[in-house]
Amino acid sequence: MILTVTPNAALDVTYTVDSLVPDEVHRVAQVRQRAGGKGINVARVLHALGGDTRALALAGGATGNAVARELATSGVPAELVPIAGETRRTTAVLALADRSVTLLNEPGPEVTAGEWAALLAAASRHRPEVLVCSGSLPPGAPPDGYAQLAATGAQTVLDTSGDALLAGLAGRPAVVKPNVSELIEVTGIRDVESAAAELRRAGAGAVVVSLGPDGLLAVTGSGTWHAAPSAALSGNATGAGDAAVAGIALGMSWREPWPQLLRRAVALSGAAVLGPLAGDLDLGHYHREHDRVAVRARGT
């Protein structure tokens, strides 16, 4: 079973407008709401693929209740650990004219030591084969919160940034998945392969770097690979990284070799770009693209 942990869950609200112009009044063509946060998005993708998964998250207040209702309606298996604070909302504005997406992310509620301990206990109780730790840590969470979760013993995929990423390396995650800017931020090294190697020296088993439309670069103990999509895509890229993480976690649970795992992750990432909301997939694209993804070993 793949357990995803989202300490800073959210109710994702997406507004669709014709165009987004500063200092103007906009008429919203469509409003959509769903449970979100990076780990929940990963679980949604895995559920759509028929994977054995469960989403674990902290949730509280009326917004937390809305998150719980949406997860129940969508059928994504979930356990929500209650907190006293109000779950945050995130707002995405999708402008149809240029397909741009503007994100407004609230910081999240203050989490108490007891609430964090309850999250750790729940993660340990599930005994997953693969543990996915995703997104920001909410205020009040321990700085090394992801290292504490990794200590539950499962193979861990860590997808976060900044101090949470650096502190999480103490848990020796099997994979960390930063994008290029996140990688440069935490290492100060602009060469992607050198920066990824630095994270491996600091505790990561492997580093898979999101290169945006250029795919993924994996720096591992057994080699370095670049996986590229067959063609550039336009759409909503907000859930593409989460879909890639779902592919990585699924490949780990199936013990796939790195080239196969990366092919799946890149195909899922593209399928997410074509989905309307984070966590959605164009399954037809995924199945067509899977065998078209080019995976090449670096340094050979």
Side-chain angles (χ1 to χ4, degrees), residues 142-179:
D144 66 342
Y146 283 134
Q148 293 180 18
L149 283 161
T152 57
Q155 296 184 87
T156 301
V157 183
L158 177 60
D159 182 15
T160 188
S161 60
D163 291 342
L165 191 162
L166 288 175
L169 295 173
R172 306 194 69 81
V175 178
V176 297
K177 196 212 69 64
N179 60 34

Side-chain angles (χ1 to χ4, degrees), residues 7 16 62 66-67 71-72 75 88 108-109 112 123-124 129 140 153 172 174 206 208 255 284 299:
T16 302
V67 166
L71 286 170
R88 67 187 178 128
T112 68
S124 181
E129 182 179 9
R172 306 194 69 81
V208 179
R255 296 174 172 79

Side-chain angles (χ1 to χ4, degrees), residues 69-164:
R69 288 194 299 271
E70 195 282 326
L71 286 170
T73 299
S74 65
V76 177
E79 177 182 348
L80 301 182
V81 175
I83 58 174
E86 184 81 20
T87 293
R88 67 187 178 128
R89 293 161 64 95
T90 67
T91 302
V93 182
L94 172 61
L96 296 176
D98 58 3
R99 304 300 296 178
S100 65
V101 181
T102 301
L103 299 176
L104 302 172
N105 292 336
E106 297 177 8
E110 190 83 18
V111 173
T112 68
E115 291 164 348
W116 184 260
L119 182 71
L120 288 176
S124 181
R125 184 177 66 252
H126 283 292
R127 299 183 180 276
E129 182 179 9
V130 178
L131 176 70
V132 176
C133 297
S134 293
S136 60
L137 290 171
D144 66 342
Y146 283 134
Q148 293 180 18
L149 283 161
T152 57
Q155 296 184 87
T156 301
V157 183
L158 177 60
D159 182 15
T160 188
S161 60
D163 291 342

Side-chain angles (χ1 to χ4, degrees), residues 193 217-218 220 222-226 259 295-300:
E193 287 191 40
L217 177 73
T220 81
S222 56
T224 298
W225 289 272
H226 177 224
V295 182
R296 294 183 173 85
R298 300 288 283 264
T300 59

Side-chain angles (χ1 to χ4, degrees), residues 190-219:
R190 302 200 67 84
D191 179 76
V192 173
E193 287 191 40
S194 298
E198 181 65 22
L199 289 191
R200 291 197 66 242
R201 284 190 288 271
V207 180
V208 179
V209 186
S210 293
L211 304 176
D214 294 326
L216 298 172
L217 177 73
V219 179

